Every structure is written in structure tokens, then in C-alpha cells.
């Protein structure tokens, strides 16, 4: 028995040595730099199967790209020191099996409020500076199982407080890669700037009111805010858990769909995901249809799109409507929701204290930081964070009108009424989606991010109704500044939004690789 086990062990070592030699030979044959600009998951997997390069080559190329580009945009907070070892493991696996997992060897960027084993999860805050999670968030385990490589963590607006800009005590200020004097919005601006700059394949952001779609719009990316309940938020530092979602931020609709597909699933530690039972698809890739706009009925939501809109953004939006018409859609312009203004008011609730203290209890487990007051005591160098922390310490419950209980999207009476009004209008007109600019104003200058903040349409509907909303690049305005088009759909109707956004993307091709500039260069 002992001899038999020695033989098995010896054979295993031989196989590892053999496969290692096969894998390393790929690096030796890779003489040319890997062209990272606009590289997609499908293209990477094709290169792997053809032996052009392997996961280790790709990780090495992205680490060098981070070293080259991150100094100007300040998007990355830490590079995963285990990324190359993980890549080597995946290369050995492929050499042995000749099978690729769904995201095999795909380097991703993870927002710094998502638990990742071995890497700090700080939310940009001094209070979490030394916190290294013992377990991955639910979705990170999903990505690991799918073969993805956590390449790096990204800077964020501290505690995810600011939709305006991305600044944190620990990470500093992130800049828009298209124009370094401008904001990438917040709070997932680090992920947005990184993916737009081609220093990762795809990224993860979180969105309480804006923070996937705003930064994606500002950085010419695709951003999916999915139905509340489709994807688990377990293991993520919360802002308002009743509104929070986590989702993909990518350069293409196809890559965002591939990432989203891996994330979908019921999680016993996030009860809201039980609402997704029997309402999801096992194959979202099938909805990537270039003719997806043909025959689609698209409602133009002027109650949002025409409010204090910048003339250049308005021009891009009107062109987007014309493009969708040319691609076969029926444009219903305008569509109207009765009592929209009153329905959209009074939906925000201050639940940060309850949610963050539960996170501290479950994941941080440190006697010196258990309460919101502990966070305030430790301090922050970000003025907005200081203001918000003090506000949330003094005020809890619903903001504005009404005093009804602050519940999730499936039980809160105000949120349900708002959603029913939107979906009833859509049903009456047989709409597939409604559209509006993701932001009615252009990105603000970093130096004037508060004064120039305006036109953020992301906050108005989907965070409260729970409906999915996807942003797609809509074109560029003066100053090399991107704008985004947003598709809003019915609960769990991600398949339709994938079809529509993919067809629009493929029919317009607005996404462009950034060539950074500053005001001095204009």
C-alpha cells in the first residue's frame, strides 16, 4: 500500500512537471506584446485554445499595463500578489483537460468594498484599513469557480457615499481616463477608470443609486444594474442594503453578460435572492442578438430626459433615438407616467447604521470597531465622508415625505407603487424598455465636482423600484467626454435588456479607447 501511494505521488509529480513544461513553453513562444486594447473574453479564450498565449502571459501583460497607466488615473489600490500563481494553476488545468471554464484565466478588477480572501477590503476608509477577509463574498466564489482571476482591487468613493466623484482616505482621487481633469463619477470610479483604460478585462462595481451606471457612462463602458434579487450582495460593505446591487462593468455588452451570468443565483445569506426563484435563465448569452432592436418598442421617457439637459448630451440622445429607429425599433415618443414626481419622492431611507454595523459584526469582528460612532472616531480625510457619517449618525429612517417602514423592493409600499406605475405604463403601450440619458449633464471637473454635479438620472427610478437598468456608450461630447444611454426594463427582464443594449452597441460602436488628455492639451 505504501509503495502504491509512492508510485501515485511520483506519477503525479511527473505529470505536474510535464504540464508545467508545456505551459511555460507558451511564454517562450510569445515574442510580441499582447494587444490589450479592447480585448474581449471570447478573444482571450480563442488565444488560449490556439496556444498564442496563456493565462500567465496575460496576467503579466496586465500587471505591466497597471504599472504603466495607473499613475495617471489612480484607479488601482492593490494588485493581487497571488494572481500569477492562480494563472499558473489554471494553465496547468487547461493543459491537462483541454477544457476552459466560463471565465477561465480572465483577469478582473474588483471594487474595494467586496470581500476577497487575502486582499484588503476597506471601502476606502481608515476604519477598515487593516481588514483582510477570511472568506470571499458569494459572488467572488462564483467567479473563482468560473476560472476568473482577481487581478486587483479598485479605488472607490469612501463608503460608496458619493455619486459625484471617486475620492477616499486610503485611495486618494481617481481621474477620468478620457480627460484627466474630470471625474469618473462615483462610487465605482476606480473600476470604471481601470476597465476603460484596458488594465483589466472586466470589473465589478456596486450601485446603491448610481455607482455602476454613472461611472460606466462617464467612462464609455457598459454597466449593468440588475434586478434587486438577481445577484447576492453577501460579503459586500453596504451603503443602503435595501437599494444595493453588485454588477459588471465592461467594455462590451457581451463581456458584461458573460460576467453577469456567472453571478446569478440564490444565496441563503442574502434573503432577497429568494425572490428570483424560477425567474432567471441558465443561459443569458443566447440573448446577444444583433437584430435585437428589430420590432422592439422603445419608450422615450421625457419626464427624465428633458430635465436640465446639456445641449450636447441632448444631441447625442436624439441621435441615439434615430439610430434605434434605423436599427428596426419602434420609438414611442414621449411616454408618460401619471404622478411620476410624487411617486419618485420619499423613497430614500437612512439605513446605513443598521447595515454597516451588521457588516462589522459578521465580517470585521473587531472589538475596537463595532458601531458607526467607532467609524466616526477613527476618522476620515474625505470631507463628504465626514458629512455623511455625521448625518447618518443623527438621522435614521425615511427621508422627505412619509414615515412608512423602510423595507426592501418587494415589501415597501412606496416602492411597489412606484414600480407598478412604471410597469403599468409599459404594459399599456406594450413597451420592451424605456430610455433616457444615464446623465443629462457632462462629467464635472474634479476641481468643481460639487458645483458642476447635475443630471444624474440613475438615482431616480431603478434603485427604488428594483427594476434592471443598463447603460451603454452613447457617444462623446466636447472635451473628449463620454455619455451613456440607459435602458430600463421590467423586473427580471434582463434577457430583453441584453438584446436591446447589444443591438444598439453593435449598430453604433460608440466605445473608443481613451487617449488621456487634460484641459491644457485642449
Amino acid at each position: 500500500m505504501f509503495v502504491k501511494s509512492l508510485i501515485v505521488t511520483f506519477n503525479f509529480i511527473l505529470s505536474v512537471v510535464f504540464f508545467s513544461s508545456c505551459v511555460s513553453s507558451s511564454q517562450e513562444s510569445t515574442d510580441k506584446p499582447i494587444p490589450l486594447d479592447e480585448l474581449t473574453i471570447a478573444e482571450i479564450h480563442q488565444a488560449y485554445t490556439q496556444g498564442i498565449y496563456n493565462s500567465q502571459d496575460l496576467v503579466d501583460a496586465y500587471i505591466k499595463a497597471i504599472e504603466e497607466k495607473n499613475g495617471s488615473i489612480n484607479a488601482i489600490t492593490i494588485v493581487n500578489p497571488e494572481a500569477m500563481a492562480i494563472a499558473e494553476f489554471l494553465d496547468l488545468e487547461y493543459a491537462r483537460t483541454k477544457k476552459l471554464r466560463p471565465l477561465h484565466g480572465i483577469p478582473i478588477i474588483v471594487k474595494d468594498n467586496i470581500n476577497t480572501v487575502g486582499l484588503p477590503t476597506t471601502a476606502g476608509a481608515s476604519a477598515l484599513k487593516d481588514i483582510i477577509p477570511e472568506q470571499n463574498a458569494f459572488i467572488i466564489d462564483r467567479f473563482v469557480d468560473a476560472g476568473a482571476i482577481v487581478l486587483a482591487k479598485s479605488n472607490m468613493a469612501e463608503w460608496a457615499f458619493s455619486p459625484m466623484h471617486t475620492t477616499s482616505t486610503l485611495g486618494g482621487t481617481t481621474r477620468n481616463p478620457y480627460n484627466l481633469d474630470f471625474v469618473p463619477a462615483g462610487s465605482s470610479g476606480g473600476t470604471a477608470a481601470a476597465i476603460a483604460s484596458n488594465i483589466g478585462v472586466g470589473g465589478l462595481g456596486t450601485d446603491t443609486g448610481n455607482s455602476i451606471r454613472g461611472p460606466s457612462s462617464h467612462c464609455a463602458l457598459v454597466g449593468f444594474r440588475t434586478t434587486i434579487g438577481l445577484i447576492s450582495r453577501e460579503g459586500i460593505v453596504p451603503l443602503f442594503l435595501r437599494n444595493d446591487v453588485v454588477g459588471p462593468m465592461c467594455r462590451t455588452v457581451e463581456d458584461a453578460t458573460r460576467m453577469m451570468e456567472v453571478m446569478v443565483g440564490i444565496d441563503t445569506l442574502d434573503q432577497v435572492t429568494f425572490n428570483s426563484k424560477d425567474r432567471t435563465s441558465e443561459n443569458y448569452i443566447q440573448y446577444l442578438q444583433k437584430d435585437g432592436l428589430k420590432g422592439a418598442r422603445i419608450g422615450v421617457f421625457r419626464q427624465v430626459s428633458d430635465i436640465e439637459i446639456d445641449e450636447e448630451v441632448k444631441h447625442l440622445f436624439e441621435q441615439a433615438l434615430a439610430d434605434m429607429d434605423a436599427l428596426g425599433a419602434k420609438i414611442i415618443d414621449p411616454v408618460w407616467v401619471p404622478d411620476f414626481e410624487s411617486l419618485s419622492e420619499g423613497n430614500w431611507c437612512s439605513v446605513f447604521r443598521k447595515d454597516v454595523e451588521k457588516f462589522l459584526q459578521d465580517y470585521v469582528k473587531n472589538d475596537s470597531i463595532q458601531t458607526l460612532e467607532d467609524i466616526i472616531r477613527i476618522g476620515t480625510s474625505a470631507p463628504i465622508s465626514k458629512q455623511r457619517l455625521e448625518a447618518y449618525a443623527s438621522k435614521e429612517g425615511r427621508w422627505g415625505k412619509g414615515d412608512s417602514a423602510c423595507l426592501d423592493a418587494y415589501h415597501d409600499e412606496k416602492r411597489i407603487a412606484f414600480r407598478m406605475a412604471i410597469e403599468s405604463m409599459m404594459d399599456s403601450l406594450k413597451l420592451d424598455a424605456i430610455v433616457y440619458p444615464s446623465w443629462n449633464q457632462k462629467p464635472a471637473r474634479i476641481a468643481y465636482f460639487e458645483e458642476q454635479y447635475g443630471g444624474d438620472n440613475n438615482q431616480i427610478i431603478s434603485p427604488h423600484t428594483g427594476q434592471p437598468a443598463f447603460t451603454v456608450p452613447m457617444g462623446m461630447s466636447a472635451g473628449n467626454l463620454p455619455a451613456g444611454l440607459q435602458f430600463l426594463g421590467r423586473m427580471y427582464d434582463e434577457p430583453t435588456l441584453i438584446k436591446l443594449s447589444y443591438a444598439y452597441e453593435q449598430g453604433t460602436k460608440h466605445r473608443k479607447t481613451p487617449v488621456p488628455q487634460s484641459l491644457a492639451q485642449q
Side-chain angles (χ1 to χ4, degrees):
M1 189 71 179
F2 176 70
V3 172
K4 183 177 180 181
S5 65
L6 279 177
I7 292 171
V8 171
T9 302
F10 180 68
N11 287 337
F12 174 77
I13 292 171
L14 283 178
S15 67
V16 169
V17 171
F18 171 73
F19 286 125
S20 296
S21 65
C22 292
V23 170
S24 62
S25 66
S26 173
Q27 290 183 314
E28 293 167 6
S29 63
T30 307
D31 298 324
K32 297 180 180 179
I34 298 172
L36 299 181
D37 283 359
E38 310 306 309
L39 192 58
T40 67
I41 294 170
E43 290 168 343
I44 291 166
H45 280 179
Q46 183 178 28
Y48 289 170
T49 58
Q50 293 178 352
I52 298 172
Y53 54 80
N54 62 21
S55 301
Q56 295 168 80
D57 300 328
L58 189 62
V59 166
D60 180 65
Y62 275 118
I63 290 174
K64 289 175 179 174
I66 290 171
E67 292 170 350
E68 176 189 346
K69 297 181 179 181
N70 191 56
S72 61
I73 58 175
N74 192 40
I76 299 301
T77 58
I78 187 170
V79 173
N80 185 0
E82 299 299 320
M84 191 61 77
I86 296 167
E88 182 180 10
F89 172 84
L90 291 166
D91 287 338
L92 287 167
E93 178 182 286
Y94 179 67
R96 185 178 72 253
T97 66
K98 296 302 178 185
K99 293 181 180 179
L100 292 174
R101 305 190 210 182
L103 296 177
H104 198 105
I106 301 300
I108 63 171
I109 307 295
V110 177
K111 187 177 180 179
D112 191 23
N113 59 349
I114 302 172
N115 279 350
T116 44
V117 170
L119 295 174
T121 296
T122 73
S126 295
L128 300 181
K129 180 180 179 181
D130 299 318
I131 303 304
I132 298 179
E134 298 175 355
Q135 293 180 312
N136 285 324
F138 178 88
I139 57 162
I140 297 300
D141 277 339
R142 284 293 184 98
F143 278 107
V144 170
D145 290 345
I149 301 169
V150 175
L151 177 68
K153 302 283 291 268
S154 59
N155 192 30
M156 58 181 284
E158 190 168 324
W159 295 111
F161 284 161
S162 176
M164 298 179 279
H165 71 329
T166 293
T167 294
S168 68
T169 297
L170 299 183
T173 296
T174 299
R175 296 178 177 272
N176 191 313
Y178 287 90
N179 191 319
L180 300 174
D181 294 319
F182 286 76
V183 300
S187 62
S188 308
T191 297
I195 301 306
S197 298
N198 292 286
I199 57 178
V201 180
L204 290 177
T206 58
D207 189 317
T208 304
N210 162 81
S211 299
I212 288 172
R213 293 158 297 145
S216 293
S217 173
H218 278 25
C219 294
L221 295 178
V222 174
F224 286 6
R225 180 188 168 99
T226 56
T227 303
I228 291 179
L230 186 74
I231 295 170
S232 169
R233 293 85 44 85
E234 184 277 329
I236 299 174
V237 182
L239 176 47
F240 303 151
L241 194 57
R242 64 194 292 274
N243 303 101
D244 292 347
V245 300
V246 59
M249 301 169 67
C250 297
R251 291 182 292 270
T252 68
V253 174
E254 179 175 339
D255 281 0
T257 302
R258 290 182 182 278
M259 288 185 65
M260 185 198 82
E261 187 172 85
V262 165
M263 301 166 75
V264 172
I266 292 173
D267 175 15
T268 57
L269 295 179
D270 187 357
Q271 293 294 308
V272 77
T273 61
F274 284 97
N275 292 286
S276 69
K277 185 178 179 182
D278 301 324
R279 304 177 77 177
T280 64
S281 173
E282 293 184 359
N283 178 11
Y284 287 95
I285 305 299
Q286 65 181 307
Y287 301 108
L288 295 166
Q289 300 170 12
K290 286 188 177 181
D291 62 352
L293 278 165
K294 189 171 293 185
R297 293 176 61 82
I298 306 295
V300 183
F301 202 43
R302 299 284 181 187
Q303 285 168 284
V304 167
S305 68
D306 287 2
I307 305 300
E308 298 180 1
I309 188 168
D310 175 86
E311 283 302 315
E312 288 185 77
V313 175
K314 181 177 175 61
H315 173 75
L316 293 173
F317 181 58
E318 298 301 332
Q319 184 59 53
L321 298 178
D323 290 338
M324 287 188 284
D325 178 76
L327 291 165
K330 173 66 175 176
I331 307 299
I332 295 85
D333 184 7
V335 298
W336 188 265
V337 175
D339 301 318
F340 177 75
E341 185 173 344
S342 62
L343 286 165
S344 63
E345 290 180 347
N347 286 293
W348 288 113
C349 289
S350 176
V351 292
F352 179 69
R353 174 190 291 278
K354 174 175 70 71
D355 291 342
V356 80
E357 288 181 358
K358 181 70 163 59
F359 181 87
L360 296 175
Q361 175 187 331
D362 291 345
Y363 299 102
V364 177
K365 302 174 184 177
N366 186 321
D367 291 343
S368 66
I369 175 170
Q370 300 183 57
T371 67
L372 179 51
E373 283 70 26
D374 289 330
I375 293 171
I376 293 171
R377 170 180 51 79
I378 292 168
T380 175
S381 66
I384 285 183
S385 295
K386 186 176 187 294
Q387 295 166 12
R388 297 287 174 90
L389 288 169
E390 292 173 350
Y392 296 147
S394 61
K395 166 71 174 173
E396 296 183 63
R398 193 173 294 275
W399 299 345
K401 298 178 181 179
D403 58 359
S404 57
C406 295
L407 304 175
D408 67 39
Y410 298 89
H411 298 95
D412 189 302
E413 59 185 34
K414 287 186 66 66
R415 301 176 74 177
I416 293 169
F418 192 11
R419 178 169 67 248
M420 288 180 64
I422 298 284
E423 293 195 347
S424 293
M425 177 273 290
M426 293 178 68
D427 291 344
S428 68
L429 297 173
K430 299 179 180 179
L431 300 180
D432 293 286
I434 61 175
V435 295
Y436 44 86
S438 295
W439 281 58
N440 281 357
Q441 295 289 322
K442 296 189 290 187
R445 290 173 176 82
I446 291 173
Y448 305 102
F449 73 88
E450 289 183 280
E451 299 93 323
Q452 295 181 354
Y453 171 69
D456 178 359
N457 293 329
N458 301 297
Q459 310 271 355
I460 300 171
I461 304 175
S462 58
H464 310 299
T465 64
Q467 295 167 267
F470 293 2
T471 187
V472 187
M474 187 171 69
M476 307 290 286
S477 63
N480 202 33
L481 297 170
L485 174 69
Q486 193 152 154
F487 293 85
L488 180 97
R490 294 174 177 82
M491 296 288 277
Y492 295 99
D493 200 13
E494 279 78 9
T496 295
L497 294 193
I498 290 168
K499 285 197 296 186
L500 301 177
S501 57
Y502 182 70
Y504 175 75
E505 170 199 60
Q506 294 298 304
T508 57
K509 300 285 189 180
H510 285 306
R511 163 75 195 167
K512 298 290 187 289
T513 303
V515 179
Q517 57 179 277
S518 67
L519 285 174
Q521 296 172 293
Q522 294 177 30

